[in-house]
């Protein structure tokens, strides 16, 4: 039996709804991440870095622990993700009231970098929103927020 070339099968296979909610969420996250990274590519920044700058821009002085919670990241992953912006001097950290607490802020260079890449992200956001349509966009955003708000124990 002759099978269709990979490129011809891909859209149909991506649209298959698997019985596992987690598998569907992970697949959607991977596809969305690949799309955003492709749109961001000319900026030479990946979505993980932009999301970090975006979060720090929205919540200056957030603790590293709170940032991990906001992004749904474990401490090790966040520490690794913070390494590049630290090296590029896009963020600074200060000790909080509790000496173990670390508060994070964008530097002037970090704010410039965020503003430089923002139009690329806005383009990706606008294109995905158009592709999904307003009703589906709202449903996806609401479902994602509700799902992210669940505790692992449910």
């Amino acid at each position: 039996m002759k099978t269709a070339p990979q490129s011809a099968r891909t859209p149909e296979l991506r649209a298959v709804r698997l019985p596992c909610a987690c598998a569907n969420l992970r697949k959607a996250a991977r596809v969305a991440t690949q799309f955003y990274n492709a749109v961001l590519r000319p900026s030479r920044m990946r979505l993980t870095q932009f999301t970090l700058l975006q979060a720090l821009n929205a919540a200056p002085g957030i603790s590293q622990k709170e940032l991990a919670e906001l992004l749904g990241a474990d401490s090790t992953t966040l520490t690794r993700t913070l390494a590049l912006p630290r090296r590029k001097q896009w963020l600074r950290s200060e000790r909080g009231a509790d000496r173990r607490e670390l508060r994070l802020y964008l530097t002037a260079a970090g704010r410039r970098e965020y503003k430089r890449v923002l139009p690329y992200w806005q383009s990706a956001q606008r294109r995905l929103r158009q592709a999904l349509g307003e009703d589906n966009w709202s449903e996806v955003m609401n479902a994602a927020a509700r799902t992210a708000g669940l505790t692992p124990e449910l």
Side-chain angles (χ1 to χ4, degrees):
M1 180 172 102
K2 191 172 184 181
T3 60
Q6 179 70 25
S7 60
R9 290 191 319 242
T10 302
E12 293 84 19
L13 290 176
R14 279 195 200 146
V16 171
R17 183 175 166 174
L18 298 169
C20 176
C22 184
N24 287 305
L25 289 167
R26 290 174 54 89
K27 180 172 63 171
R30 282 190 299 273
V31 169
T33 299
Q34 290 166 2
F35 171 71
Y36 275 72
N37 277 333
V39 175
L40 289 173
R41 189 169 293 120
S43 76
R44 297 173 315 280
M45 183 180 289
R46 295 186 60 82
L47 182 61
T48 51
Q49 295 299 321
F50 180 78
T51 301
L52 184 62
L53 296 183
Q54 188 177 55
L56 292 174
N57 186 67
I62 192 170
S63 74
Q64 188 165 334
K65 182 179 179 181
E66 292 167 333
L67 182 60
E69 188 175 325
L70 174 68
L71 299 176
D74 62 77
S75 178
T76 302
T77 301
L78 181 60
T79 298
R80 199 171 39 247
T81 305
L82 288 168
L84 178 66
R86 277 198 173 106
R87 270 196 316 275
K88 295 198 176 236
Q89 298 181 350
W90 294 342
L91 66 90
R92 65 182 173 83
S93 53
E94 293 178 3
R95 292 278 172 215
D98 177 345
R99 296 177 74 201
R100 295 168 295 175
E101 186 178 71
L102 202 56
R103 296 278 170 188
L104 302 169
Y105 301 86
L106 287 179
T107 62
R111 283 189 299 279
R112 279 193 305 275
E113 192 64 11
Y114 170 73
K115 289 175 185 173
R116 181 186 72 78
V117 180
L118 183 60
Y120 294 94
W121 175 84
Q122 288 170 326
S123 174
Q125 190 87 340
R126 184 174 49 257
R127 288 170 57 189
L128 184 58
R129 188 178 199 144
Q130 287 170 345
L132 290 173
E134 274 312 307
D135 289 343
N136 286 332
W137 173 263
S138 291
E139 285 181 33
V140 165
M141 294 296 282
N142 291 334
R146 282 192 310 273
T147 304
L150 297 174
T151 63
E153 304 84 35
L154 298 176

